[in-house]
Amino acid sequence: MENKYRMLEIKAPNIKHLFEPKSIAIIGASSNRNKIGYKVVDNIVASGYQGKIYPVNPKGGTILDSKVYTSIESIDDTIDLATICVPAKYVFDSLKSCAKKKTKFVSIITSGFSEIGNLEGEEELVNFARENGMRLLGPNIFGIFSAKAPVNATFGYKHIEPGSVAIVTQSGALGVAMIGKTATEGIGLSAIVSVGNKCDIDEADLIEYFITDDNTRVILLYIEGLKRGNRLTQVLEKATKIKPVIIIKSGRSKRGAMAAASHTGSLAGADNVFTDIISRQVGALRALSVQEALNWAKFLAIQKSLPVGENAVIVTNGGGIGVLATDACELYGVTLYDNREVLKEIFSPVTPSFGSTKNPVDITGQASNEIYEQALQAALDSPDIHSVIVLGCETAIFSADQLAAVVQRRYLDDKPDKPVVFSFFGGGEFEQGLFALKSKGVPIFSDVYEAASCLGALYKHYHNIINTDDELSELDDPEIDIKSIQTVIDEVRADNRRFLLVPEALRVMNAAGIPTPKSYVAKDLEEVIYYAEEVVKYPVVMKIVSKDIIHKSDAGGVALDLENRDELLDAYEAILASARKYKPDAKIEGVEIVRMINMNEAMETIIGARIDNTFGPTVMFGLGGIYVEVLKDVAFRAVPIKRSDAIEMIQQIRSYPLLLGVRGEEAKDIGGCIDIILRLSKIIQLCKDISDIEINPVLVFEQNQGVLAVDTRILLNP
Ligand code: COA
């Protein structure tokens, strides 16, 4: 596989030719207006495409004034993009013809490949394309629109409004519907690409292009399943620091995932892994619905620049919607400015005594449109306020027309240099009047949650941009004895096993520098005192060590919770005496000194690393012990991770307050957890034989008291 990709890197044409083709062949072009092969030619012509159009059909003739070529070979030109719309059984032959013409990109509209189980047919196409330096879009797609060319090589809508949002969609029908919906919402597109079965070109390839495309300000992806999640992660890591990337990922629920899997033929990954990696780790903006994604896309695309800070202010004429908006801001991570002195100074001239200058600023239901305008202007003028949420409930005091005029003057005409989002709520006339503004590009919603979620998306993007602490520092690269781990793995392999036995797992933990409960064998009283007082430290457990005594407790060979020298000496004497009495001929090697763990002092966590089917090497942190399965309070990240990622994972779990200490407890040793996460991250990345490591529990003691990997399971790849 890797070889193929390497080959592809050498031969692959620049993806620019897909978006700015100089020549397009339509294989399966038809003069029958009801066929896809006609629609594609019609759309290309209608889009004002300036390059060469070559319809191909064995019958010849003309379609829409373009000469039809009886074969692609008979075209006397090189082809940048070929669109195939012939039945599946002819696609491979058409691809062969494309190769003869040194075609760069082939968009295969035809269905009937992996989505219906025809994996071989699809693989044949990809392998052939790779061998011949061609790249494939699809199959099973509606095509591609690029505003840059411009070219509409789809069989969807004839007119696509150009703009600055680029859409990549795995679902064809939803993609076509999104073209319609974006038009009614006033969202222009820089491109829309249908990727279908993603046999070759996928989201990651396209995002790489959109990062550099000046036309594109916002990237929006609709994803059902991922094939190369690790590559998408890498590309998104770069992209989200430049442009906002909005993702709609279906298959969140179990049933949804099953539907998505059967729909596209590719498995939707476990949703929590997807959310943690794509949204939390690399900062894509995950929308819950298509409408939410489009709201964000529109809002983000119209921003002239990022906000200069986090201080958001809500201006409202209704207390109720003000409180609702406050809740919504908390939900979407919008920080409400709370400097009461400053707010009072700004807003008291426009707020009656029974209103409130605190945030949300309530200018009350008696506010006239003049007061409304003054309040909005005050918020826009203040350098302390960085973004504004303007709320309006219908009242008898002003009409929709008057309010619309305020928005026209202060937003559309003045073009404020800070983000503003509006939410107006009322009856038919009120909404109609105001929503006419929507078509003029005003971000206006009837629901305050929609308005706040737009601002939340903008602030998430803002955080991606300002948090540039990226470099993997030395601290993030713990020292691990990989050679010793490999020796253990080789022994396990030699024994034809895929799982490690307890002592083997312990050796791996030692080589990884991960603390495990240590046991020390003391041969005499002097060593007993040394280990108990200098190494393990009280309280300790003492156990008899003798190959001849298997059931140690039965032999009186175990003493728990020894807290001082006296108890230690008594126990040593008693254990030796009982053992001799139990089995007089037993050969006694000494006693084992182990730390006595008080479970009340420690919190049980789980730390793991595994090769995920979609994302490759990943790490996991969560609440451990016997509740793991029930509570599923875990966080995932793709490897390699930075220290800041490990910290975020820990902070993400719901049980995080327990690690900070509740009811007067001391905080736990979070640093120890971070260290183990980073070590497992490195092991799963470097030891290609290991498929799973799970330490459960990792006992986390009080701060600076360390952590202990109590039970470790390690599995090797088959
Ligand atoms: N080279 C060029 N043209 C060829 C050809 C070849 N090797 N073989 C056949 N053709 C011509 C046909 O003669 C026909 O032209 P005509 O109308 O002049 O006779 C045209 O190509 C199309 O072939 P036809 O057999 O009529 O197929 P069709 O138009 O009914 O269906 C597809 C073709 C690709 C549309 C169909 O197979 C398909 O896959 N449909 C689903 C598409 C889809 O939904 N994609 C996903 C969207 S999200």
Side-chain angles (χ1 to χ4, degrees):
M1 194 64 139
E2 260 187 8
N3 277 341
K4 272 189 198 153
Y5 279 121
R6 214 171 293 136
M7 193 173 77
L8 187 68
E9 267 168 31
I10 300 162
K11 284 187 162 182
N14 189 323
I15 195 135
K16 271 192 158 185
H17 299 295
L18 176 64
F19 289 91
E20 298 164 58
K22 297 222 161 26
S23 53
I24 304 179
I26 305 96
I27 303 168
S30 171
S31 48
N32 180 340
R33 299 172 74 93
N34 296 321
K35 290 198 182 178
I36 286 179
Y38 175 86
K39 192 77 183 130
V40 175
V41 181
D42 192 23
N43 281 353
I44 294 174
V45 172
S47 60
Y49 175 62
Q50 297 298 310
K52 295 276 191 312
I53 305 175
Y54 298 114
V56 180
N57 184 311
K59 293 176 189 161
T62 57
I63 299 174
L64 292 160
D65 296 334
S66 288
K67 176 190 165 185
V68 176
Y69 290 75
T70 52
S71 69
I72 187 166
E73 289 93 333
S74 61
I75 301 167
D76 186 19
D77 196 357
T78 54
I79 305 295
D80 282 351
L81 172 64
T83 295
I84 296 184
C85 32
V86 294
K89 60 183 175 205
Y90 304 128
V91 169
F92 188 57
D93 282 342
S94 301
L95 197 63
K96 282 196 207 156
S97 305
C98 290
K100 285 187 195 140
K101 275 275 123 184
K102 302 231 173 315
T103 304
K104 297 184 180 82
F105 287 87
V106 183
S107 156
I108 305 172
I109 286 179
T110 311
S111 303
F113 293 91
S114 67
E115 84 282 4
I116 56 155
N118 178 11
L119 298 170
E120 301 79 32
E122 195 165 297
E123 225 171 86
E124 186 180 37
L125 300 179
V126 187
N127 290 339
F128 180 79
R130 290 208 170 125
E131 283 157 16
N132 289 277
M134 294 185 289
R135 296 215 61 185
L136 304 183
L137 193 61
N140 186 31
I141 59 174
F142 63 76
I144 172 170
F145 160 78
S146 163
K148 195 125 190 192
V151 63
N152 178 4
T154 73
F155 67 88
Y157 280 82
K158 196 169 199 162
H159 176 73
I160 301 177
E161 191 60 32
S164 55
V165 176
I167 298 181
V168 178
T169 174
Q170 194 170 352
S171 161
L174 191 63
V176 174
M178 277 200 273
I179 299 175
K181 188 72 181 160
T182 48
T184 55
E185 296 265 338
I187 302 170
L189 302 182
S190 59
I192 179 160
V193 188
S194 168
V195 285
N197 299 359
K198 302 192 271 195
C199 76
D200 174 24
I201 294 174
D202 64 9
E203 294 88 357
D205 299 308
L206 299 167
I207 294 169
E208 274 185 334
Y209 169 79
F210 293 131
I211 294 176
T212 59
D213 174 36
D214 306 337
N215 280 356
T216 299
R217 302 196 70 200
V218 178
I219 303 164
L220 192 161
L221 314 177
Y222 170 79
I223 297 175
E224 287 175 355
L226 286 180
K227 288 180 175 165
R228 296 186 292 156
N230 43 356
R231 174 147 146 73
L232 181 67
T233 310
Q234 286 160 10
V235 173
L236 281 177
E237 189 122 34
K238 252 192 290 170
T240 56
K241 298 208 168 41
I242 300 167
K243 297 178 182 182
V245 183
I246 300 165
I247 296 186
I248 316 159
K249 163 76 166 62
S250 59
R252 290 174 78 91
S253 61
K254 274 194 190 136
R255 276 192 85 92
M258 276 159 64
S262 55
H263 182 189
T264 64
S266 65
L267 257 182
D271 195 65
N272 46 352
V273 180
F274 182 93
T275 308
D276 282 359
I277 293 175
I278 294 299
S279 180
R280 293 197 160 99
Q281 186 172 4
V282 300
L285 312 173
R286 177 138 190 218
L288 289 182
S289 67
V290 178
Q291 186 59 55
E292 185 171 59
L294 294 178
N295 289 350
W296 292 355
K298 183 174 178 178
F299 184 66
L300 291 163
I302 59 172
Q303 298 309 315
K304 284 188 285 187
S305 56
L306 280 177
V308 294
E310 308 245 14
N311 299 345
V313 161
I314 299 169
V315 177
T316 179
N317 70 340
I321 49 168
V323 179
L324 277 173
T326 306
D327 292 346
C329 285
E330 188 173 304
L331 180 68
Y332 295 112
V334 176
T335 310
L336 291 180
Y337 183 46
D338 61 3
N339 187 323
R340 292 183 182 192
E341 288 307 305
V342 177
L343 287 168
K344 194 170 171 190
E345 204 180 308
I346 300 170
F347 292 107
S348 53
V350 291
T351 311
S353 57
F354 48 88
S356 169
T357 59
K358 288 180 222 148
N359 200 359
V361 177
D362 185 359
I363 54 175
T364 79
Q366 76 160 29
S368 63
N369 64 308
E370 284 84 12
I371 291 291
Y372 224 104
E373 186 161 9
Q374 285 166 25
L376 173 56
Q377 193 58 49
L380 294 176
D381 287 345
S382 165
D384 295 304
I385 295 172
H386 306 133
S387 55
V388 192
I389 300 177
V390 186
L391 308 180
C393 269
E394 184 175 16
T395 68
I397 305 285
F398 53 55
S399 69
D401 290 349
Q402 289 171 323
L403 198 51
V406 172
V407 177
Q408 174 72 43
R409 278 193 297 275
R410 295 297 159 228
Y411 185 81
L412 287 170
D413 299 345
D414 287 359
K415 299 183 177 54
D417 56 4
K418 61 182 78 169
V420 186
V421 63
F422 298 86
S423 171
F424 291 141
F425 189 69
E429 212 177 286
F430 184 77
E431 285 207 341
Q432 261 169 31
L434 292 162
F435 279 72
L437 293 165
K438 197 167 184 166
S439 57
K440 294 185 179 176
V442 179
I444 185 165
F445 305 93
S446 53
D447 189 342
V448 292
Y449 273 78
E450 284 185 275
S453 100
C454 283
L455 205 53
L458 177 65
Y459 272 115
K460 182 157 185 201
H461 176 55
Y462 167 85
H463 290 137
N464 287 340
I465 302 287
I466 61 167
N467 296 335
T468 48
D469 134 51
D470 252 333
E471 299 306 310
L472 295 173
S473 70
E474 250 177 57
L475 273 177
D476 300 341
D477 190 17
E479 216 170 282
I480 287 172
D481 182 357
I482 297 287
K483 228 171 136 187
S484 298
I485 297 179
Q486 196 55 49
T487 308
V488 178
I489 292 170
D490 293 344
E491 288 172 24
V492 178
R493 289 279 193 217
D495 202 25
N496 266 334
R497 269 185 288 123
R498 272 192 64 206
F499 60 92
L500 274 66
L501 300 172
V502 173
E504 291 162 343
L506 271 175
R507 281 165 61 200
V508 171
M509 290 295 100
N510 284 340
I514 294 173
T516 51
K518 294 274 181 295
S519 73
Y520 297 88
V521 177
K523 287 192 284 305
D524 52 35
L525 186 57
E526 198 181 329
E527 282 188 10
V528 165
I529 293 169
Y530 169 72
Y531 286 131
E533 296 185 355
E534 304 296 324
V535 183
V536 178
K537 306 226 162 105
Y538 296 119
V540 299
V541 175
M542 189 186 291
K543 297 179 197 171
I544 191 78
V545 180
S546 165
K547 285 205 176 86
D548 304 317
I549 300 175
I550 294 165
H551 304 291
K552 296 177 192 197
S553 300
D554 291 355
V558 180
L560 300 173
D561 207 9
L562 309 175
E563 288 189 332
N564 52 46
R565 172 82 62 99
D566 287 347
E567 288 181 15
L568 192 76
L569 299 184
D570 288 350
Y572 185 60
E573 225 170 82
I575 280 180
L576 290 184
S578 316
R580 276 189 204 109
K581 196 166 154 205
Y582 180 75
K583 204 164 192 193
D585 58 346
K587 186 170 178 296
I588 291 166
E589 288 146 53
V591 291
E592 190 185 345
I593 304 291
V594 205
R595 176 166 173 187
M596 172 78 202
I597 295 168
N598 178 355
M599 294 303 283
N600 294 333
E601 292 167 16
M603 179 169 153
E604 290 183 305
T605 59
I606 180 168
I607 306 182
R610 56 183 287 272
I611 307 292
D612 182 86
N613 283 341
T614 305
F615 291 99
T618 54
V619 282
M620 177 190 72
F621 172 82
L623 181 71
I626 53 173
Y627 305 120
V628 176
E629 291 299 325
V630 187
L631 297 176
K632 292 191 172 63
D633 189 13
V634 288
F636 298 89
R637 292 294 182 272
V639 164
I641 61 160
K642 302 183 287 280
R643 172 164 287 264
S644 56
D645 292 318
I647 294 170
E648 277 170 20
M649 282 174 88
I650 294 170
Q651 290 173 341
Q652 180 192 320
I653 67 165
R654 295 190 304 279
S655 315
Y656 176 59
L658 301 181
L659 281 166
L660 293 178
V662 285
R663 293 184 172 203
E665 279 173 6
E666 285 286 320
K668 299 287 186 285
D669 200 323
I670 293 172
C673 299
I674 296 171
D675 188 63
I676 298 188
I677 296 171
L678 291 172
R679 284 173 192 277
L680 290 197
S681 159
K682 189 166 176 181
I683 294 175
I684 200 77
Q685 202 187 348
L686 296 182
C687 302
K688 302 286 181 213
D689 280 285
I690 296 179
S691 67
D692 287 85
I693 308 177
E694 185 183 293
I695 318 177
N696 185 20
V698 172
L699 294 180
V700 189
F701 298 96
E702 287 177 359
Q703 213 157 5
N704 302 323
Q705 302 296 309
V707 288
L708 277 183
V710 175
D711 193 357
T712 305
R713 277 156 222 225
I714 301 177
L715 289 182
L716 304 184
N717 284 310

